[in-house]
Amino acid sequence: MNYQAPWWLPGGHAQTIWSAMCARHRSGSPLPWRRERWTAPDGDFVDVDFLRSTDFVKAAPNAPLLVLFHGLEGSSASHYAQAFADVASQRGWQLAVPHFRGCSGEINLAPRAYHSGDFEEVDWLLRRFAHMQRGPSGARAPLFAAGVSMGGNALARWAGEMGESAGMHVDGVATICSPLDVTAGGNAIDSGINRHLYARLFLRTMIPKALAKLAQHPGLFDADRLRSVRDLHGFDDVFTAPVHGFRDADDYWRRASAKPLLAQVRVPMLLLNARNDPFVPAHSLPTPDNVSAQVQLWQPEQGGHVGFASGAWPGHVLYMPAQVCAWFAGAQCIDG
């Protein structure tokens, strides 16, 4: 992946912010998602959006299905989800965006929400998608899984935990701009200008969601402590860690990281990280010594955090999903 940023978009911050705030999918009109509500193993619900921009589900029942796990506070409305939808529809692929709990526009029922190491959630979802891809003969049509940022770390953690058995469910896995060392990523977001540009932006939605969760489940955490939080470490210390079974934020960040498990991956995997990503320090990125022979590293110098804008002004963000989907197709020798 020999990515070069447009001349009019210099630096990791500009490449990150423009892509998130200004990029839109090709048609500019709302995407025609079809939503299904799935019951989770614990009785809670997860909303899954399926792209229905064409009739490829009927016309091509064996078409590949790409499952996209979104990032922190993301959804099917995120700029990267819209870009993947454009690329998938061009290829005639199916696309599904499962929402982590509380990210579909409706608060979930259980005390838990979601977190960076949530590979158990990824597991049951991918098993269900794999079942959907199986025909009457038991053969499975191609299934690919991509994860963006936080969702990518959870997906990579799943691939490492599953080892040889991951290939029973998916044909390939890709992570995009994922903080595979969660501690390094969390510290980066909470430091310097990033704390003002990004941490506060995330907290604007995360804190109200957590307080809504507290209203559902009184006594779940200390509301006054949460209201005083000013960074992601503080939020994770008060809410994410204790609610999801971790001792504190430091314990959560350490145990959630996928990087220590990358040597155990036994399914084709692409790890894409820009080296100027404000959220993911270049020094924390995996090296060939950290990963198995099944893992391919793409680490271009530019791109920002889930940016990779291309073209003349005003540009677009189709380059990255096109490259990722081409990797899926090429790695698996799938026509189209």
Side-chain angles (χ1 to χ4, degrees):
M1 183 179 182
N2 298 315
Y3 173 75
Q4 289 292 324
W7 66 266
W8 48 268
L9 204 57
H13 290 299
Q15 291 158 23
T16 298
I17 295 169
W18 181 91
S19 298
M21 303 296 292
C22 303
R24 295 293 181 268
H25 78 101
R26 189 172 55 247
S27 71
S29 58
L31 285 168
W33 297 108
R34 173 178 60 83
R35 176 161 293 186
E36 291 186 7
R37 177 159 291 186
W38 291 2
T39 301
D42 63 357
D44 202 355
F45 70 86
V46 167
D47 288 328
V48 182
D49 282 354
F50 291 87
L51 182 65
R52 58 177 184 182
S53 57
T54 70
D55 289 331
F56 54 70
V57 175
K58 297 178 181 178
N62 294 320
L65 169 61
L66 173 59
V67 178
L68 180 66
F69 292 95
H70 62 77
L72 184 67
E73 293 297 275
S75 71
S76 61
S78 296
H79 71 282
Y80 50 80
Q82 297 181 40
F84 266 102
D86 280 338
V87 172
S89 62
Q90 288 176 348
R91 285 182 169 269
W93 290 8
Q94 304 173 76
L95 176 70
V97 181
H99 291 86
F100 288 110
R101 304 194 198 191
C103 291
S104 66
E106 184 175 340
I107 198 73
N108 63 300
L109 304 176
R112 60 156 294 166
Y114 66 99
H115 62 86
S116 294
D118 208 355
F119 71 93
E120 295 97 341
E121 190 90 318
V122 170
D123 184 56
W124 78 263
L125 286 165
L126 287 179
R127 288 173 185 268
R128 181 157 176 175
F129 284 118
H131 179 75
M132 291 173 56
Q133 285 294 88
R134 295 195 183 278
S137 67
R140 178 174 56 75
L143 176 61
F144 304 127
V148 174
S149 194
M150 181 219 72
N153 181 77
L155 178 60
R157 177 84 191 276
W158 172 83
E161 294 280 356
M162 294 291 288
E164 295 284 354
S165 62
M168 298 172 56
H169 309 293
V170 299
D171 297 291
V173 170
T175 73
I176 298 117
C177 299
S178 296
L180 302 167
D181 179 337
V182 178
T183 299
N187 287 335
I189 294 177
D190 281 349
S191 300
I193 192 173
N194 285 0
R195 180 173 178 174
H196 302 283
L197 285 177
Y198 308 116
R200 287 184 178 180
L201 184 66
F202 286 128
L203 292 174
R204 285 179 191 171
T205 56
M206 293 167 65
I207 289 177
K209 282 185 182 180
L211 293 173
K213 185 62 58 183
L214 183 63
Q216 284 180 317
H217 302 277
L220 191 62
F221 59 86
D222 187 329
D224 290 335
R225 279 190 65 203
L226 187 73
R227 291 190 181 98
S228 68
V229 160
R230 295 296 180 267
D231 55 27
L232 294 188
H233 187 276
F235 181 90
D236 288 341
D237 214 40
V238 175
F239 177 75
T240 312
V243 168
H244 298 96
F246 300 97
R247 184 184 67 251
D248 53 24
D250 292 334
D251 180 52
Y252 159 45
W253 286 5
R254 177 181 59 83
R255 290 169 55 193
S257 297
K259 187 176 179 180
L261 300 176
L262 296 177
Q264 301 172 202
V265 173
R266 297 295 181 268
V267 66
M269 173 183 276
L270 172 66
L271 303 181
L272 169 58
N273 291 92
R275 299 186 68 84
N276 69 345
D277 186 334
F279 294 13
V280 185
H283 69 76
S284 72
L285 296 179
T287 67
D289 292 338
N290 302 137
V291 304
S292 76
Q294 293 275 52
V295 178
Q296 184 171 359
L297 303 177
W298 286 4
Q299 297 177 354
E301 292 298 322
Q302 302 180 56
H305 187 72
V306 202
F308 302 103
S310 293
W313 175 264
H316 59 79
V317 288
L318 298 176
Y319 178 85
M320 179 271 290
Q323 292 292 311
V324 171
C325 289
W327 180 86
F328 278 132
Q332 300 304 314
C333 300
I334 290 174
D335 185 19

